[in-house]
Amino acid sequence: MRGGLGLLSTVSPPPPPPPLRCFSRLRLRSLFSSDIPRVKSRKSVWTVRTRAATTMASDQENIGNLRKQVAKLFETSLRATVPEELDVEPLVAACTAKFGDYQCNNAMSLWPRIKGKKTEFRGPPAVGQALMKNLPSSEMVEACSVAGPGFVNVTLSKNWIAKSIQKMLIDGIETWAPRLSVKRVVVDFSSPNIAKEMHVGHLRSTIIGDTLARMLEFSNVEVLRRNHVGDWGTQFGMLIEFLFEKFPDWESATETAIGDLQAFYKASKQKFDEDPVFKERAQKAVVRLQGGEARYRSAWAQICDISRREFDGVYQRLGVSLEEKGESFYNPYIPSVLEKLSNLGLVEESEGARVIFIEGYERPLIVVKKDGGYNYASTDLSALWYRLNIEKAEWIIYVTDVGQSEHFQMFFKAAKRAGWLPDDDKAYPRTSHVGFGLVLGEDGKRFRTRSTEVVRLADLLDEAKARSKAALVERGKDKEWSEDELDKTAEAVGYGAVKYADLKNNRTTNYTFNFDQMLNDKGNTAVYLLYAHARICSIIRKSGKDIEELKKTGTVALNHPDERALGLHLLQFGETVEEACSNLLPNVLCEYLYNMSENFTRFYSNCQVVGSAEETSRLLLCEATAVVMRKCFHLLGIVPVHKL
């Protein structure tokens, strides 16, 4: 177990593993350098490669990223200002409207490099002045100034911003998608255990993983969504023997007959703990299962199928798609992977177990237990080998709770020792552990029911929908809408509220689950944002204008300060998605979405839309806001509503 709208699909048992490939670090660099660009980490400023380092992205690739477009201008300026400093990259960051829209911060860092050489400059301010002077002419720039120790502030042209928005309305929001250097990514998320129900603990992995996958897919990356379910292990001997005992005619036992799988699991565990004879049979059943005995394989498959159907119901409700490749899928690969690691001298004997010692850790990484059985480490190493060598993934992302951080750190380091991964964490192929905190109750402890049981995810979604529907009925929507419309809206709002309340937090922190807060229509909640989108749709509807026709015939103008502020924020969508992808932080996109809604509120409060002289332009700005909002909702896995 690691802790996915679509069905959970299964994968047939794998063929025997092909010969292992193990790369030396030199071979790794050679193999990947030819066709997979390296990615630099995203810091507080955006750094853009110079042509001397690697090929610059084309203008088309930068179209949705304002910072990259501004940085491209400063790259030209740097080559003219300090032609001898070929490895200097533009340092460009967004800044407050008081100083401009973007700021180049190279002058301060350049000065120590050039002051000891023959130079015409007499300090950072002079370097900043030269950088401003050498900026190439561009229609996107309206004004520049130098502040303090050489900070070059750039104000973008409101006419260029308007033209860019209008072009997006015609060409589509996909033209603003980031262009990442990585081509294929595995996102390993959700990963419940077979024969156990999905509970609130699976919520975070499922929706964080889905959002990361959606953002990467929008960024033109091929994403392999993997559900690493716990479908193998010693517990299946216990479950199979209990199935045989409780249902002599087990082959025809239905999901209804077996009933609640969680209760079935608990009952089998109780018998395992209390009945020595049953325990012995269960232990022998594990051997028979792993030996491939048909009767036991068939019973195992039946238990897995019942679990999958339960998982599918939750995934469909959440709008999450996954492909299952569970622990059993990688089991045939384990012996050959461990043999290769042993041949490299990584696997050693220690106290009866086989282990890999990792520098910096007191206890080793156990890959074969004392009894000869495999464990999470052996499965994870085999899965990583498969993903690198068979699926050809360049970035493998694991979404689990922070409590598993040490395990992932250790097995990543083992992979580096084997030469599977480069020493540089920023180079490809790369692995990342996306850790997340706990879901807490009002008492500050793990979120549980009053009977101290973990909260079933299906029950949580039921309550979210019921509360949302009750709020809509209270507002009289049951008298205005059909039952189907009411039901679908309640689902969109209820499920969206649960997702957004989780995603808006930095994933590494714990958060308190509170229905009243997440379903509030004020503040930073999905309900507020869905209302904002519905209001924009209402404005456009009430105008009586054909918005598609206006896109062809109308013109966007941003003459009012609040129009310009909203327009600039819309243009920063692409770079925001790129930042969220690079740092694997969905809350970055949530913050952008909330600020967009706030910007729209200011615009709508101060700029009359319908009936004004600027009606056409402002309707187009409303439509652009709605388009970007809907794409944000999609990336967060939230279904937008068009009226509330």
Side-chain angles (χ1 to χ4, degrees):
M1 173 207 166
R2 290 270 184 241
L5 248 264
L7 292 176
L8 181 82
S9 60
T10 61
V11 178
S12 58
L20 282 137
R21 289 193 298 160
C22 179
F23 304 113
S24 67
R25 292 186 178 93
L26 180 62
R27 169 65 177 145
L28 266 169
R29 293 190 182 100
S30 172
L31 176 67
F32 286 95
S33 61
S34 61
D35 58 353
I36 303 172
R38 302 294 192 266
V39 180
K40 292 188 177 291
S41 62
R42 189 179 183 88
K43 302 179 181 178
S44 57
V45 294
W46 181 260
T47 58
V48 179
R49 299 181 181 89
T50 62
R51 282 192 176 86
T54 188
T55 304
M56 276 293 292
S58 66
D59 291 341
Q60 183 65 28
E61 290 177 327
N62 287 337
I63 193 169
N65 192 315
L66 278 186
R67 273 188 277 202
K68 282 187 174 180
Q69 291 184 73
V70 174
K72 190 172 175 64
L73 296 177
F74 277 102
E75 182 195 10
T76 302
S77 176
L78 280 165
R79 298 291 79 80
T81 305
V82 284
E84 67 283 0
E85 305 294 334
L86 296 177
D87 61 337
V88 176
E89 301 172 344
L91 303 176
V92 174
C95 58
T96 63
K98 178 181 178 182
F99 299 104
D101 301 319
Y102 288 89
Q103 186 178 83
C104 176
N105 302 316
N106 281 92
M108 283 284 287
S109 58
L110 265 176
W111 177 243
R113 297 180 58 159
I114 64 176
K115 68 178 179 179
K117 305 174 184 179
K118 292 183 179 180
T119 177
E120 61 186 281
F121 305 117
R122 293 293 177 265
V127 177
Q129 290 288 345
L131 287 172
M132 181 179 70
K133 178 183 175 183
N134 289 325
L135 268 180
S137 176
S138 172
E139 65 171 336
M140 70 184 294
V141 177
E142 186 170 288
C144 289
S145 62
V146 177
F151 300 132
V152 184
N153 298 312
V154 175
T155 300
L156 300 179
S157 162
K158 64 182 180 181
N159 294 332
W160 180 83
I161 296 173
K163 284 170 60 178
S164 299
I165 291 171
Q166 192 153 358
K167 183 172 175 57
M168 181 276 290
L169 284 172
I170 295 170
D171 296 341
I173 187 70
E174 286 71 24
T175 59
W176 284 3
R179 296 294 188 270
L180 304 184
S181 60
V182 65
K183 297 180 181 67
R184 181 178 292 168
V185 174
V186 167
V187 182
D188 178 329
F189 67 106
S190 191
S191 309
N193 278 327
I194 293 292
K196 290 186 178 180
E197 288 186 290
M198 293 181 71
H199 54 76
V200 69
H202 295 106
L203 176 68
R204 301 208 74 181
S205 178
T206 303
I207 64 179
I208 292 171
D210 180 55
T211 293
L212 294 177
R214 287 170 180 262
M215 292 193 299
L216 288 163
E217 287 161 349
F218 176 65
S219 304
N220 299 285
V221 175
E222 180 187 359
V223 178
L224 307 181
R225 295 160 164 260
R226 293 291 177 254
N227 200 3
H228 191 94
V229 297
D231 65 349
W232 201 247
T234 56
Q235 75 273 21
F236 280 96
M238 171 185 80
L239 292 166
I240 290 169
E241 281 301 322
F242 193 69
L243 178 67
F244 290 163
E245 181 176 292
K246 191 170 183 181
F247 299 96
D249 187 22
W250 61 271
E251 289 174 304
S252 60
T254 63
E255 183 176 352
T256 304
I258 292 174
D260 187 337
L261 261 181
Q262 186 78 1
F264 183 84
Y265 185 94
K266 285 182 178 180
S268 66
K269 181 67 168 68
Q270 182 178 354
K271 190 168 183 64
F272 182 87
D273 292 338
E274 297 175 355
D275 186 338
V277 176
F278 177 82
K279 182 175 183 178
E280 184 178 353
R281 291 206 315 270
Q283 290 170 338
K284 289 179 179 178
V286 175
V287 177
R288 290 175 173 174
L289 171 63
Q290 294 180 346
E293 194 168 319
R295 181 168 178 252
Y296 288 83
R297 283 278 180 159
S298 180
W300 167 76
Q302 185 171 354
I303 293 170
C304 290
D305 286 343
I306 293 171
S307 270
R308 287 190 189 102
R309 287 193 287 272
E310 290 196 7
F311 297 161
D312 282 350
V314 173
Y315 293 142
Q316 287 181 25
R317 294 174 73 176
L318 289 173
V320 173
S321 64
L322 280 155
E323 182 182 10
E324 180 187 312
K325 283 191 177 177
E327 293 173 357
S328 64
F329 179 86
Y330 302 105
N331 198 61
Y333 294 89
I334 295 177
S336 57
V337 169
L338 293 183
E339 181 183 4
K340 185 65 174 178
L341 294 173
S342 297
N343 292 340
L344 290 169
L346 269 65
V347 180
E348 304 177 39
E349 297 289 332
S350 177
E351 298 180 8
R354 299 179 68 196
V355 305
I356 299 175
F357 287 97
I358 307 294
E359 185 178 355
Y361 294 87
E362 289 185 11
R363 58 184 182 84
L365 185 70
I366 299 173
V367 293
V368 181
K369 297 182 291 185
K370 291 181 181 180
D371 61 5
Y374 301 135
N375 60 3
Y376 287 141
S378 44
T379 302
D380 282 339
L381 283 165
S382 300
L384 177 59
W385 177 88
Y386 182 90
R387 290 162 176 177
L388 290 170
N389 289 273
I390 307 302
E391 295 182 321
K392 308 294 185 185
E394 300 149 52
W395 193 6
I396 300 98
I397 298 166
Y398 301 82
V399 187
T400 78
D401 62 278
V402 293
Q404 299 185 50
S405 295
E406 184 177 85
H407 165 75
F408 283 100
Q409 290 167 8
M410 290 179 73
F411 113 74
F412 291 168
K413 288 189 176 183
K416 288 182 180 180
R417 283 193 62 195
W420 298 355
L421 300 172
D423 288 333
D424 184 357
D425 288 336
K426 299 173 185 176
Y428 293 119
R430 178 193 304 183
T431 53
S432 297
H433 175 228
V434 176
F436 54 81
L438 300 173
V439 181
L440 305 177
E442 294 295 330
D443 58 359
K445 300 178 182 178
R446 283 179 183 265
F447 188 39
R448 296 182 180 273
T449 64
R450 290 181 180 176
S451 59
T452 73
E453 295 284 341
V454 292
V455 179
R456 295 172 66 245
L457 193 45
D459 291 343
L460 184 146
L461 295 176
D462 286 342
E463 185 168 356
K465 178 181 175 180
R467 285 176 177 246
S468 174
K469 191 170 186 177
L472 291 169
V473 169
E474 189 176 329
R475 294 175 51 229
K477 297 302 177 183
D478 56 325
K479 297 177 176 61
E480 299 177 26
W481 300 345
S482 68
E483 181 60 30
D484 182 62
E485 197 171 19
L486 183 68
D487 199 61
K488 287 181 177 178
T489 303
E491 281 189 358
V493 175
Y495 301 167
V498 170
K499 288 186 176 187
Y500 189 82
D502 188 306
L503 295 169
K504 74 176 182 180
N505 298 286
N506 185 306
R507 56 175 170 74
T508 60
T509 61
N510 301 336
Y511 81 96
T512 301
F513 193 96
N514 185 301
F515 272 123
D516 291 335
Q517 290 180 7
M518 65 179 59
L519 289 167
N520 196 327
D521 60 3
K522 296 178 178 61
N524 188 10
T525 67
V527 183
Y528 168 74
L529 296 168
L530 289 167
Y531 269 105
H533 174 260
R535 180 173 57 166
I536 296 171
C537 295
S538 175
I539 292 167
I540 295 171
R541 279 197 305 271
K542 288 179 179 177
S543 74
K545 300 296 174 63
D546 183 341
I547 198 69
E548 295 303 318
E549 189 62 31
L550 290 185
K551 290 179 186 179
K552 301 173 186 175
T553 60
T555 303
V556 177
L558 305 174
N559 295 317
H560 192 281
D562 291 324
E563 290 175 315
R564 185 190 184 281
L566 177 57
L568 176 62
H569 190 82
L570 294 179
L571 248 65
Q572 291 171 330
F573 169 66
E575 66 195 50
T576 301
V577 175
E578 187 161 347
E579 179 184 351
C581 285
S582 299
N583 295 323
L584 302 171
L585 290 173
N587 63 295
V588 170
L589 183 62
C590 293
E591 182 180 1
Y592 170 85
L593 176 58
Y594 177 68
N595 288 337
M596 187 200 324
S597 181
E598 294 288 274
N599 275 324
F600 181 83
T601 298
R602 281 190 291 272
F603 152 73
Y604 190 63
S605 298
N606 297 319
C607 301
Q608 180 185 347
V609 177
V610 179
S612 69
E614 301 87 356
E615 180 182 83
T616 296
S617 170
R618 289 175 177 172
L619 283 172
L620 289 173
L621 187 56
C622 286
E623 174 66 7
T625 304
V627 167
V628 178
M629 286 190 82
R630 284 194 287 272
K631 182 54 68 174
C632 287
F633 286 140
H634 170 75
L635 297 180
L636 297 171
I638 296 172
V639 178
V641 294
H642 295 262
K643 59 181 182 178
L644 270 175

